[in-house]
Amino acid sequence: MRYLFLVLLFCATLFGEKILKIATYNVENLFDLQKSAYEYSEYVPNGTSGWNQKNYKIKLKNIAQVIKDIDADIIALQEVESLQALLDLRFALKQNGLYYQYYSIADKKNSVIKVALLSKIPFIYSKEISVTQTYAYRNILEAKLKIDNTELYIFVNHWKSKAGAESMRIVSAKALKKRISEIGFDKNIILLGDFNSDYEEYLKFKRKRKHNDTDGITGINHILGTINQRDFAKHVKHSKESFYNLWYDTDTTKRYSYIFRGEKEVLDNILVSQALLKDKDASYLHGSISNFNKEYLFKGENIYRWEISRAKVRKHKGKGYSDHLPVTAKFRVN
């Protein structure tokens, strides 16, 4: 097996192409131990719920184990409280043998949890996209990278949860699309993160009306143009403004990153511009989209989330990972 890997690595180098692994992971409430007055009540440092040095170290260790096992070149993160939490995670990874030299976090707004990036590849720049000034919307993180002579744009998202109606997710989708229109839809663009949206959210609306306050219009499908994008075939022409959701590139039984009341769901997505579906300077590696579903990330039939008791005073149990599975995909860079 090792010999085969070395042969493949040699061939990739010989023909002047690199394989890039990109991942997204909602790490579920990675709070630091600095009191900021914005924490959820159960994450107040050294409070009655037991969010203390011991539990924080366990959480960092567990999340670092997952990220180490993924070993992505670039990984987008959601639900990171602060730069300090990101740096502590980065240090835990370094102790575990995985070093991400480059990092960024969208922390210009005092939202409770934020999006971030860890990367082995330097950024040309990273910046934040302000969705609105209200705290109900988290900023989007944009990063531009250059691999040899190939440019790549990455946008890390964490849209409003299903506690809010679809109109709130549409606000984020429109802010994202506006920014993309400024840089050009013809670029190599990857949109990823926790969209709190199914890859076919518009079809769910036909069965469940709870979140539909938009007459069936959805952020992920209509605004980002992922409807009628099921066909991966390169000869199929689509609008240059439409994005392809990589979940269509795997078996339907494997399309999930979350389990709610026993039902497998998609909340986390990776979308790519039309440019990345063509064999040019950079392209998506067909068949490489996958949830990261290692056995240790499950507890029975459920995802092994970070455990907090449901008592009147909620207590951290010091075990578990996250309520989401990571999602990974690979790209070929010539």
Side-chain angles (χ1 to χ4, degrees):
M1 191 69 184
R2 178 177 172 79
Y3 174 75
L4 177 60
F5 171 76
L6 291 173
V7 169
L8 291 172
L9 184 63
F10 172 75
C11 290
T13 304
L14 180 66
F15 291 103
E17 67 178 26
K18 297 177 181 177
I19 303 301
L20 193 70
K21 183 188 279 188
I22 295 179
T24 180
Y25 189 23
N26 182 322
V27 296
E28 191 185 16
N29 296 329
L30 183 60
F31 283 83
D32 62 30
L33 291 178
Q34 298 176 0
K35 197 167 185 178
S36 67
Y38 293 102
E39 298 95 351
Y40 301 139
S41 59
E42 62 269 29
Y43 285 94
V44 173
N46 302 308
T48 55
S49 291
W51 186 242
N52 50 34
Q53 185 74 18
K54 177 184 176 182
N55 283 321
Y56 183 45
K57 282 189 173 182
I58 295 171
K59 175 75 172 185
L60 288 170
K61 176 177 175 290
N62 289 4
I63 296 300
Q65 177 190 351
V66 180
I67 296 174
K68 170 72 185 308
D69 289 347
I70 295 170
D71 193 20
D73 296 286
I74 303 165
I75 184 164
L77 304 172
Q78 300 86 50
E79 298 200 14
V80 179
E81 184 198 14
S82 64
L83 176 59
Q84 186 59 58
L86 181 64
L87 292 174
D88 289 344
L89 176 59
R90 180 171 171 262
F91 182 71
L93 282 162
K94 188 176 181 181
Q95 286 184 312
N96 208 18
L98 179 59
Y99 180 51
Y100 285 105
Q101 185 174 354
Y102 309 99
Y103 56 91
S104 185
I105 185 168
D107 62 354
K108 290 183 178 178
K109 179 190 283 188
N110 285 325
S111 51
V112 180
I113 44 179
K114 304 167 182 70
V115 297
L117 267 175
L118 293 172
S119 177
K120 299 177 184 178
I121 301 162
F123 307 128
I124 294 175
Y125 70 75
S126 66
K127 59 184 287 186
E128 295 181 40
I129 301 168
S130 177
V131 177
T132 72
Q133 295 301 312
T134 65
Y135 293 121
Y137 300 87
R138 290 173 279 266
N139 285 356
I140 298 167
L141 182 61
E142 172 189 344
K144 181 179 179 181
L145 306 93
K146 194 170 186 179
I147 304 158
D148 294 332
N149 292 317
T150 301
E151 293 181 345
L152 187 66
Y153 293 85
I154 294 178
F155 293 84
V156 187
N157 297 264
H158 188 190
W159 293 2
K160 179 63 180 177
S161 74
K162 292 294 179 73
E166 184 62 19
S167 56
M168 300 186 75
R169 285 175 286 284
I170 282 183
V171 171
S172 294
K174 286 183 174 179
L176 177 59
K177 188 172 183 179
K178 180 177 182 293
R179 173 55 187 156
I180 295 169
S181 68
E182 294 169 356
I183 65 174
F185 288 91
D186 58 335
K187 301 294 194 299
N188 299 317
I189 300 169
I190 300 173
L191 317 177
L192 76 175
D194 181 358
F195 293 80
N196 276 301
S197 304
D198 187 81
Y199 62 97
E200 289 185 338
E201 189 71 23
Y202 72 105
L203 293 180
K204 281 194 165 187
F205 269 23
K206 293 179 179 180
R207 300 189 299 268
K208 296 180 180 180
R209 295 284 176 175
K210 179 180 178 182
H211 300 102
N212 185 0
D213 64 340
T214 58
D215 293 327
I217 302 300
T218 65
I220 194 168
N221 300 133
H222 296 84
I223 306 303
L224 299 183
T226 60
I227 293 179
N228 299 323
Q229 292 286 312
R230 297 185 184 193
D231 196 338
F232 180 80
K234 297 180 179 65
H235 66 272
V236 177
K237 291 185 178 181
H238 296 290
S239 164
K240 69 175 184 178
E241 295 186 7
S242 63
F243 285 83
Y244 178 71
N245 194 318
L246 297 186
W247 281 122
Y248 284 123
D249 195 42
T250 191
D251 187 87
T252 54
T253 61
K254 299 176 182 177
R255 297 177 191 173
Y256 73 97
S257 62
Y258 191 78
I259 299 176
F260 181 68
R261 295 177 180 173
E263 295 292 326
K264 293 178 179 177
E265 296 185 353
V266 168
L267 295 182
D268 310 273
N269 296 266
I270 302 179
L271 286 63
V272 299
S273 60
Q274 296 299 311
L276 285 169
L277 298 179
K278 303 169 184 176
D279 288 326
K280 292 187 176 181
D281 54 345
S283 60
Y284 164 65
L285 190 62
H286 182 43
S288 67
I289 176 74
S290 177
N291 59 19
F292 188 75
N293 58 357
K294 294 294 184 182
E295 186 176 347
Y296 67 82
L297 290 177
F298 291 85
K299 188 174 183 180
E301 297 297 317
N302 295 308
I303 296 172
Y304 194 3
R305 69 181 302 176
W306 181 254
E307 293 192 352
I308 304 177
S309 72
R310 296 185 177 276
K312 187 175 182 181
V313 177
R314 303 186 71 196
K315 297 278 189 179
H316 291 272
K317 296 183 178 182
K319 54 187 177 180
Y321 298 86
S322 168
D323 53 348
H324 291 242
L325 294 179
V327 182
T328 68
K330 294 179 182 178
F331 296 80
R332 181 185 291 110
V333 180
N334 297 324

